[in-house]
């Protein structure tokens, strides 16, 4: 009995020490913390996947723009997204983005189908695995988005070094384009002219047009007797040879009938293409000889690399925030009196008033137009302003019983610098808004159509660099570590003296 009492007393003295009490307190606190963490994880596990992942990446690949949010907010049709892939083996970035995107609308329904367990699904949808099938039953439209279009692989590294890495993430652009395509019942066809030494549109621009569901075709007016009937926009990109008189007449007739024409001039400006220049003058846009140099709005003292002033509003201003657009070696334009009072001409890009039109023999200072739009309404009551006789009006009425009162709006868009969408510029200066403004100018030709072409996000590593080292650089490299070491030594020395 006495022995047992001694053991109990001894145990009491052991557990009664301050060290034991502190240890017990630490164990208890640890248990409580673990319990809180477990409960917290259980609670978080019940939160939908779309809200559990926080984007802390420098490239913000999960950020969804207002353009896509507005589209999904106004979505009035049910959209099915069938993901033909093994979810557990799919790149986490794709899984996360799909869930975040679908969470923005209750009309988007996502279903993952394992093609290994259900191989017939690939035959049913006539596609391959690692593909998202986007469909809308109401419109009957279906399209597919491949994972390789979302995560764009660096083919150079793969083929030359055998390493797999990715350069771009295009989740938002691909899914928004697909949703817009399957839910929209309107399709637009753009014809690009050929036969005049035109340049080829870059893959960056054609990809953006594909995302907006624009069909891009080619036409040579020398081989046609008119602009194609299904042409919604006639595009000339950097022509180096002039139109013939017959082609100019075709374009004039097309515009008179409510057509839409867009011209981007390259090294050969409008002043060197007399027939095209005459067409522009009819719509109140004159050509200025020489290249525009702008010391007040230039890139790093390169006077011919200019940032024009923008005057955009409405659809033309969509997505424009920095108003930074870079053009190289542009020719000048000027607004003049159009041939008819029914034509209204306005500019949306211009140089500063400190600019010069430079030729081999002169330098003329002034403010020059770089981008302009001419609009004309024809038909209906507007037709009374023309010189047509009553007989011609009666003949026109007999040809179309319902077209006499219809008001047609023609639109001529002119940009004096084709470098605006040159791939060397758009891919080098990715923060500029060249492509956004260009696509806005294209989309402005179509009534009720919004520019939904969203560029991919770069996955390139971003480095934090110091442009000016000096005192702050030395402080960051040597000062802070030295302060930490000295502070630690002081604390250690004081405790040692105790």
């Amino acid at each position: 009995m006495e022995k047992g009492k001694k053991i109990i007393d001894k145990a009491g003295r052991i557990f009664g020490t301050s060290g034991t009490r502190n240890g017990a307190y630490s164990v208890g606190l640890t248990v409580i913390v673990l319990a809180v963490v477990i409960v917290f994880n259980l609670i978080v596990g019940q939160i939908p996947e779309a809200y559990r992942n926080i984007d802390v990446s420098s490239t913000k690949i999960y950020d969804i723009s207002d353009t896509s949010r507005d589209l999904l907010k106004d979505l009035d049709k049910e959209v099915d997204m069938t993901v033909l892939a093994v979810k557990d083996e799919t790149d986490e970035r794709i899984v996360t983005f799909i869930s975040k995107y679908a969470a923005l609308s209750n009309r988007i329904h996502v279903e993952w189908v394992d093609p290994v367990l259900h191989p017939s699904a690939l035959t049913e949808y006539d596609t391959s695995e690692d593909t998202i099938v986007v469909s809308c039953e109401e419109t009957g439209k279906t399209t597919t988005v491949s994972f390789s279009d979302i995560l764009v692989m660096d083919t150079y590294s793969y083929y030359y070094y055998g390493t797999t890495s990715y350069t771009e993430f295009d989740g938002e652009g691909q899914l928004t384009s697909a949703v817009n395509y399957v839910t929209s019942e309107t399709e637009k066809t753009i014809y690009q002219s050929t036969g005049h030494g035109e340049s080829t549109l870059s893959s960056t621009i054609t990809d953006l047009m594909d995302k907006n569901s624009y069909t891009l075709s080619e036409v040579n007016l020398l081989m046609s007797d008119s602009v194609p009937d299904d042409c919604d926009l006639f595009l000339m990109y950097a022509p180096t040879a002039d139109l013939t008189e017959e082609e100019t007449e075709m374009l004039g007739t097309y515009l008179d009938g409510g057509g839409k024409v867009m011209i981007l001039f390259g090294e050969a400006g409008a002043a060197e293409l007399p027939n095209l220049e005459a067409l522009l003058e009819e719509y109140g846009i004159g050509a200025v000889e020489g290249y525009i140099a702008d010391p007040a709005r230039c890139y790093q003292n390169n006077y011919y690399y200019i940032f024009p002033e923008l005057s955009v509003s409405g659809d033309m201003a969509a997505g424009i925030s920095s108003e930074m657009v870079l053009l190289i070696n542009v020719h000048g334009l000027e607004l003049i009196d159009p041939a008819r009072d029914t034509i209204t001409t306005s500019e949306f890009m211009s140089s500063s008033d400190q600019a010069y039109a430079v030729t081999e023999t002169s330098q003329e200072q002034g403010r020059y137009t770089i981008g302009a739009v001419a609009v004309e309404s024809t038909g209906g009551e507007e037709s009374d302003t023309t010189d047509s006789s009553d007989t011609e009006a009666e003949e026109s009425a007999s040809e179309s019983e319902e077209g006499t009162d219809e008001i047609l709006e023609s639109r001529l868009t002119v940009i004096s610098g084709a470098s605006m969408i040159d791939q060397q510029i758009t891919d080098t200066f990715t923060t500029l808004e060249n492509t956004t403004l260009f696509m806005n100018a294209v989309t402005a030709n179509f009534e009720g159509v919004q520019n939904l072409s969203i560029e991919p996000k770069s996955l390139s590593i971003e480095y934090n660099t110091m442009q000016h080292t000096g005192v702050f650089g030395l402080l960051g490299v040597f000062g802070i570590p030295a302060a930490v070491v000295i502070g630690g030594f002081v604390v250690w020395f004081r405790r040692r003296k105790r």
Side-chain angles (χ1 to χ4, degrees):
M1 197 63 154
E2 259 183 52
K3 187 174 180 182
K5 188 177 179 182
K6 288 181 180 178
I7 294 174
I8 292 173
D9 292 340
K10 187 175 180 180
R13 287 194 299 274
I14 293 173
F15 287 102
T17 62
S18 60
T20 305
R21 285 196 299 271
N22 290 337
Y25 174 77
S26 299
V27 171
L29 186 62
T30 302
V31 171
I32 293 172
V33 171
L34 289 174
V36 170
V37 170
I38 292 172
V39 172
F40 178 76
N41 279 310
L42 290 174
I43 295 173
V44 170
Q46 302 304 311
I47 300 175
E49 183 182 9
Y51 303 102
R52 291 203 305 264
N53 298 287
I54 301 174
D55 188 2
V56 296
S57 63
S58 60
T59 52
K60 298 295 179 184
I61 62 174
Y62 302 131
D63 276 0
I64 298 176
S65 67
D66 291 339
T67 299
S68 295
R69 291 179 182 273
D70 291 341
L71 172 70
L72 298 178
K73 180 182 176 182
D74 298 334
L75 204 59
D76 58 356
K77 298 178 180 69
E78 303 295 322
V79 176
D80 295 318
M81 289 187 180
T82 306
V83 188
L84 302 173
V86 181
K87 188 173 183 179
D88 293 339
E89 297 177 2
T90 301
D91 191 289
E92 186 63 29
R93 290 169 289 190
I94 295 178
V95 176
T96 300
F97 188 83
I98 292 174
S99 65
K100 283 182 172 293
Y101 192 89
L104 295 177
S105 175
N106 56 10
R107 292 187 177 274
I108 293 183
H109 313 286
V110 178
E111 179 186 8
W112 286 78
V113 177
D114 189 336
V116 178
L117 299 178
H118 307 281
S120 61
L122 300 179
T123 304
E124 178 185 349
Y125 291 104
D126 190 23
T127 188
S128 57
E129 62 178 300
D130 294 339
T131 299
I132 306 171
V133 180
V134 184
S135 60
C136 176
E137 185 176 355
E138 186 173 335
T139 62
K141 287 185 174 182
T142 300
T143 188
T144 58
V145 177
S146 172
F147 285 1
S148 61
D149 292 330
I150 294 177
L151 266 177
V152 182
M153 188 173 68
D154 185 351
T155 54
Y156 182 86
S157 297
Y158 180 78
Y159 287 112
Y160 285 90
Y161 301 105
T163 58
T164 302
S165 60
Y166 300 96
T167 58
E168 294 176 336
F169 185 87
D170 196 20
E172 181 184 2
Q174 293 294 332
L175 292 186
T176 295
S177 173
V179 171
N180 177 58
Y181 170 75
V182 300
T183 57
S184 175
E185 297 180 2
T186 59
E187 296 181 5
K188 301 299 180 182
T189 301
I190 299 174
Y191 278 90
Q192 184 184 0
S193 67
T194 61
H196 309 89
E198 293 92 339
S199 297
T200 303
L201 292 172
S202 70
S203 58
T204 300
I205 297 301
T206 56
D207 287 347
L208 292 176
M209 287 188 173
D210 286 341
K211 287 180 179 179
N212 245 15
S213 301
Y214 298 152
T215 300
L216 189 63
S217 302
E218 292 185 346
V219 61
N220 189 330
L221 293 182
L222 288 171
M223 302 180 184
S224 308
D225 56 2
S226 65
V227 176
D229 293 337
D230 63 339
C231 178
D232 295 300
L233 175 65
F234 185 87
L235 174 66
M236 292 195 74
Y237 177 48
T240 56
D242 201 8
L243 296 174
T244 63
E245 292 184 5
E246 291 79 8
E247 290 176 301
T248 306
E249 186 176 344
M250 286 184 206
L251 276 189
T253 302
Y254 173 66
L255 284 167
D256 288 342
K260 311 294 189 292
V261 175
M262 188 171 185
I263 303 173
L264 287 82
F265 288 106
E267 292 294 317
E272 298 179 23
L273 306 173
N275 287 334
L276 259 180
E277 182 183 0
L279 180 65
L280 267 58
E281 288 177 351
E282 181 180 344
Y283 283 83
I285 303 172
V288 175
E289 291 188 0
Y291 291 97
I292 303 303
D294 195 343
R297 296 185 62 84
C298 64
Y299 173 72
Q300 296 185 355
N301 294 323
N302 293 298
Y303 296 156
Y304 296 97
Y305 289 54
I306 64 175
F307 295 101
E309 296 177 351
L310 303 187
S311 304
V312 292
S313 59
D315 293 340
M316 288 284 284
I320 301 294
S321 56
S322 67
E323 297 194 1
M324 295 296 288
V325 173
L326 177 64
L327 291 91
I328 299 175
N329 296 335
V330 301
H331 293 275
L333 303 170
E334 60 180 350
L335 302 188
I336 58 178
D337 291 333
R340 297 177 292 279
D341 293 338
T342 52
I343 299 174
T344 302
T345 308
S346 59
E347 68 178 17
F348 62 90
M349 277 196 301
S350 67
S351 70
S352 72
D353 54 11
Q354 311 270 327
Y356 293 85
V358 181
T359 65
E360 292 182 357
T361 58
S362 65
Q363 297 183 9
E364 191 166 337
Q365 185 176 358
R367 184 177 181 277
Y368 298 97
T369 299
I370 295 172
V373 174
V375 178
E376 180 179 23
S377 296
T378 58
E381 295 180 358
E382 297 294 337
S383 61
D384 293 338
T385 60
T386 64
D387 296 330
S388 301
S389 65
D390 294 338
T391 304
E392 292 172 334
E394 289 176 4
E395 292 175 353
S396 176
S398 65
E399 292 174 0
S400 174
E401 296 179 357
E402 59 184 17
T404 53
D405 294 331
E406 183 182 2
I407 297 179
L408 303 174
E409 183 180 86
S410 59
R411 185 181 180 93
L412 173 62
T413 305
V414 181
I415 297 173
S416 64
S419 58
M420 177 180 181
I421 54 173
D422 186 278
Q423 191 160 10
Q424 254 188 327
I425 295 178
T426 58
D427 289 2
T428 303
F429 303 94
T430 56
T431 58
L432 296 178
E433 295 174 329
N434 289 37
T435 54
T436 302
L437 183 60
F438 172 76
M439 290 305 300
N440 284 353
V442 170
T443 305
N445 290 280
F446 311 133
E447 186 176 355
V449 177
Q450 182 185 2
N451 178 18
L452 296 174
S453 50
I454 301 167
E455 295 192 63
K457 294 182 174 68
S458 173
L459 294 178
S460 301
I461 299 174
E462 295 184 0
Y463 296 95
N464 292 323
T465 58
M466 291 185 181
Q467 294 183 0
H468 308 286
T469 52
V471 176
F472 292 104
L474 293 173
L475 179 64
V477 175
F478 300 106
I480 294 177
V484 171
V485 172
I486 294 171
F489 177 79
V490 171
V491 171
W492 169 81
F493 186 75
R494 287 180 178 176
R495 288 183 178 178
R496 182 172 176 277
K497 290 183 68 175
R498 294 177 188 174

